Amino acid sequence: MSATNTKSDTAQSHDNHGHHPSLAHHFVSLEQQHEANILGMWMFLVTEVLFFGGLFTAYTVYRLKFNTMFQEASNQLDITLGCLNTVVLILSSLTMAMAVRSAQIGKTKQILNYLGATAILGLMFLGVKYFEWKHDFEIHLVPKANFCWDYAKERRKEADHHEKDKPFVSKLIGKFVGHHEEHAPPSAAEIAKDHKNPESQQARIFFVLYFAMTGIHALHMIIGFGLIAAVAYWASRGTYGPEYYTPVEVLGLYWHFVDIVWIFLFPLLYLLGAHLGAGH
Amino acid sequence: MSAINLDRRVVGEAASTHEATPKPATNYLNHETTIASWLLTLDHKRIGLLYLVGISLMFVLGGAFAGLIRLELMTPKGDLLTGDVYNKSFTAHGVVMIFLFLIPSIPAVLGNFLLPIMIGTKDVAFPRLNLLSFYVYAAGGVFLALALLLGGVDTGWTFYTPLSSTYANGNVMVAALGVFVIGFSSILTGLNFVVTIHRMRAPGMTWFRMPLFVWAMYATSLIQILGTPVVAITIALVGFERFLGVGIFDPRLGGDPILFQHLFWFYSHPAVYIMILPSLGVASELVSTFSRKGVFGYHIIACSSIAIAIFGFVVWAHHMFTSGLSQYAAMVFSVLTFSVAIPSGIKVFSWLATMYKGSVSLASPMIFFFGFIGLFTIGGMTGLFLSTLGTDIHLHDTYFVVAHFHYIMVGGAIMGFMGGIHYWWPKITGRMYNETLAKISAALIFVGFNFTFFPQFFLGYMGMPRRYHEYPEELQVLNVLSTVGASVLAIGYLTPGIYLPFSFFFGKKAPKNPWGATTLEWTECESPPSPHNFDHNPPVYDHVYDYSTLNKEAAVVSH
Amino acid sequence: MSAHNSANVEAHAGHPHHEPASLVVYFSTFSALMILTILTIWAGMQDFGALNTPIALGIASFKAVLVVLFFMHVLHSSTLTKLTIFASMYFLGILMVFTLADYLSRGWTGQ
């Protein structure tokens, strides 16, 4: 107890290493900092798994309760666009993985290129989503706003009948630029009547979950854009290289996770009723 | 100091043994003194103190609502509060006490202050996130305060649907948003601690050399990480339902209110362990230090903390036995609930065995520990009544349940918190408090607590339901007893609110290791610690609770 | 547990040395993901009855595993990372299985 102060100038071991500009004071080495940050991101992803997990649990419970109607409701979604988005998002995961790799091998310029590609693909994904949601709104599939199950089913049948013989490409283009044939929107009385129908109620729960899940997923992508912008800014200043690329890798983990969520959303939401066939 | 170190087997990097010239006592409290240096601090110790101020205020607020409730229940008629105000009072009491006081209490105050020191590092892994978590907590508190000021919420802290989603007033969403936000604060703290424990331990600090408090914090953090996101998404779904009227939990629209309860209790049952596990960790430290003996069954206590965290996730539906759960599921959850008693029992018996043939001293933290162990045991045992299916049908939603969980969450968690605050106060502030007053406070809390809540077991057994502001006249005697006890309890809690701050300014200077403890914060840190905790790499010995050298040291000092 | 301790020991060794994965790995992973996407769409068009969802989830899980192992580098990550992922799946499993234990047994009266 005699010595109350044992501070000495050389006692702090990290002084021996020479400071990397990106090494925070409370870490001993870049390796420790890297490991801590990566583990921190993984822990965050654990919370994300359980956050989405709550939604997936709700989905599973209602799916089991309303199996038939969930398939019918799922059949209203556009598989082509869902598939297109799947491809776009997986491609963005590839470019993100390449961005991390570029940092690891010290090709600073490439980091920016790949991050840019990832952001563009992400924007494409959200763009497609926008057209999907717009279409859902037009055919009265948005709960609270205008949900009317009978009306939506009719529109879908007509559209399928209309487009039966069109070639795939023009169908695809039509999804983005196609003019929507005007129909008299359902009256308030029709909507009220529709809402009393158990089939409509069950389909509506599907669409609530659909919008909740895809909406929260889209929100994660929007947050991802912010993160990409931040990492790109630091990358442009030459912060990252083989010695220090932790933020790029952390961002990569986040982006891949968002991709994985979509990998599950796609079959559960879009493909659930695919076997029923068009115009069912 | 160097002589002592030679006696010990130093496993990690050796401590710097050459003596430096004495320097002015710079510590984390006085090295910077501007207000900004406190409000924007990244120092885990200062953040712990910010939290201490926050939760203390919330404890007073929550306690005031408890006072209102007890005053109303003095008389059988609803004469002080109307039914509506009464509902809002117990909701406010529950929400404030659980989300703003109990959940952050030990982890965010003592955990923040001690965890990095105990494992021999300079700070938590993510100091900025640590500060962020405090402000997120404060923001959540603002939302809850707003909900109160707007007129209050009457759903109970559980926010059950369809009451919360369809019938309650709009403030419920303000309060729920507050809970949602506070959840992120809790997640950030837990995430920070888990990474810190995994990645920041000093050289030589292996898992089974960590103090048991750190093990308890680890288990707690796992629950915060795994459970909190589920309640967040649940609240979000209630929000969707409320604003969009879409019927996820509304049976009239095809939804299922029981699903809300499943999702809610998946977090909120483990949340009980977020509240109690840290106290169990504190208890292990107290019993060892004040018995001057290594903790009996160190390894199994460490593992039982993890076991409680894991078991805690498979028992949630015991809150739902009477709400239409399937009989089969009820049986499964009942059996699993009993299993939580095993790790809890292991801890209690290990503490008793630690005291056996130990050199037990009756310092004030130890008095709190004695209170803790008794109350926690009663609380745990009565939990078994409630996990028994048939008995629960009778006792569900009665004062028996209220008494049970207050024995755990007040008798267990807050007793542990008080014990911990008294134990580490000299380290945190560098000052000693008035020991006599502390003992009186501990005794008042113990006696007052038992008078408050023991009668409630009988009230519940006699059929008095919880959450009612009126009751039959024949129950008045026990209710008055409970209210009288509550006033004693209140005095017991307010006393430290006077002598602790007093000691902060006027108390006797605390020595480095006033209790003769063995963990790093006592053996290697000054009181109060320097800004970066250690001036050298702390040496780590092969057993954390090794009193042999301290005993020698004491012998040297006394000669 | 040894993995964490070694991380601490390595912490003194110096800077991170992570071998970047080869381009072949990334592009084959991507190709496999594309093929599996086509497969899952084809499978979705067929009616396997009760097996529809298990097949869809099986393919999705396989895709997720590919992303985790190769894009997220878990194949070469520490045991701790693998344990973390396992834990998240385990507790998500608890949430799902125990909730469904209630819903799927609602009709069982025990008489």
Side-chain angles (χ1 to χ4, degrees), chain A residues 64-129:
Chain A
L64 288 167
K65 280 184 133 171
F66 312 135
N67 195 6
T68 316
M69 280 317 294
F70 261 45
Q71 294 183 20
E72 296 262 353
S74 158
N75 202 31
Q76 297 293 320
L77 298 178
D78 194 320
I79 296 175
T80 317
L81 292 184
C83 173
L84 176 66
N85 259 351
T86 308
V87 174
V88 166
L89 205 54
I90 291 176
L91 195 58
S92 81
S93 250
L94 176 69
T95 55
M96 182 56 90
M98 295 299 292
V100 178
R101 188 174 181 278
S102 310
Q104 284 175 321
I105 57 179
K107 299 199 169 165
T108 328
K109 274 215 180 110
Q110 280 190 12
I111 304 178
L112 283 175
N113 293 341
Y114 282 121
L115 285 180
T118 308
I120 289 168
L121 288 164
L123 282 173
M124 274 177 66
F125 178 94
L126 288 188
V128 171
K129 220 67 243 119

Side-chain angles (χ1 to χ4, degrees), chain B residues 175-188:
Chain B
L177 187 61
V179 172
F180 183 85
V181 168
I182 293 169
F184 283 97
S185 151
S186 181
I187 288 174
L188 289 175

Side-chain angles (χ1 to χ4, degrees), chain A residues 4 7 14 26 32 62 144, chain B residues 20 122 125 199 244 248 526:
Chain A
T4 47
K7 181 164 187 169
H14 71 256
H26 58 295
Q32 188 192 28
Y62 290 122
K144 179 74 175 179
Chain B
K122 287 180 191 167
R199 292 290 183 233
L244 306 178
I248 306 172
E526 298 310 314

Side-chain angles (χ1 to χ4, degrees), chain B residues 293-558:
Chain B
K293 188 159 164 268
V295 178
F296 178 89
Y298 167 89
H299 290 82
I300 200 157
I301 290 191
C303 295
S304 68
S305 289
I306 307 295
I308 289 177
I310 294 172
F311 284 159
F313 276 102
V314 291
V315 301
W316 77 78
H318 65 219
H319 296 270
M320 303 161 56
F321 284 160
T322 59
S323 59
L325 196 70
S326 89
Q327 290 185 10
Y328 162 78
M331 279 189 284
V332 171
F333 278 107
S334 170
V335 171
L336 288 169
T337 303
F338 281 107
S339 70
V340 180
I342 298 168
S344 313
I346 286 173
K347 281 177 189 285
V348 171
F349 286 116
S350 298
W351 294 325
L352 295 179
T354 307
M355 287 192 284
Y356 178 67
K357 288 193 172 171
S359 163
V360 178
S361 66
L362 297 179
S364 54
M366 192 61 170
I367 309 286
F368 280 105
F369 167 78
F370 286 139
F372 159 85
I373 197 170
L375 302 180
F376 173 68
T377 306
I378 294 175
M381 299 296 273
T382 50
L384 297 179
F385 292 40
L386 294 169
S387 55
T388 312
L389 281 174
T391 324
D392 184 68
I393 304 296
H394 176 63
L395 295 176
H396 183 81
D397 262 358
T398 67
Y399 263 83
F400 192 92
V401 177
V402 175
H404 156 69
F405 72 71
H406 279 88
Y407 263 83
I408 293 290
M409 280 143 73
V410 183
I414 303 185
M415 265 304 204
F417 176 70
M418 296 298 281
I421 284 288
H422 282 79
Y423 177 54
W424 281 295
W425 188 259
K427 183 56 62 183
I428 294 172
T429 62
R431 304 283 183 155
M432 301 302 287
Y433 48 83
N434 185 316
E435 182 70 11
T436 315
L437 282 176
K439 283 180 184 168
I440 291 173
S441 157
L444 282 177
I445 292 175
F446 184 76
V447 172
F449 180 87
N450 278 306
F451 271 106
T452 312
F453 292 105
F454 209 78
Q456 296 185 0
F457 283 124
F458 296 105
L459 284 170
Y461 190 75
M462 288 154 80
M464 178 169 166
R466 63 194 285 203
R467 296 180 168 172
Y468 280 67
H469 75 310
E470 294 176 324
Y471 55 85
E473 280 180 14
E474 54 266 38
L475 300 178
Q476 190 174 13
V477 176
L478 288 169
N479 268 302
V480 169
L481 198 57
S482 180
T483 301
V484 171
S487 16
V488 177
L489 187 60
I491 296 169
Y493 280 132
L494 289 176
T495 324
I498 296 162
Y499 66 76
L500 285 181
F502 180 84
S503 77
F504 184 80
F505 297 105
F506 308 108
K508 203 171 61 164
K509 284 250 184 327
K512 185 178 180 184
N513 190 357
W515 314 116
T518 59
T519 40
L520 289 179
E521 79 275 21
W522 299 110
T523 57
E524 299 299 325
C525 272
E526 298 310 314
S527 303
S530 65
H532 293 303
N533 302 341
F534 305 103
D535 301 323
H536 52 86
N537 268 356
V540 180
Y541 310 107
D542 57 348
H543 200 284
V544 54
Y545 300 113
D546 181 4
Y547 288 86
S548 55
T549 42
L550 271 171
N551 288 340
K552 273 185 211 163
E553 184 184 328
V556 170
V557 169
S558 64

Side-chain angles (χ1 to χ4, degrees), chain A residues 23 56 60-61 108 165 195 197 201 208 269:
Chain A
L23 177 64
F56 279 106
T60 312
V61 165
T108 328
D165 302 321
H195 283 192
N197 177 6
Q201 291 181 349
V208 170
L269 295 175

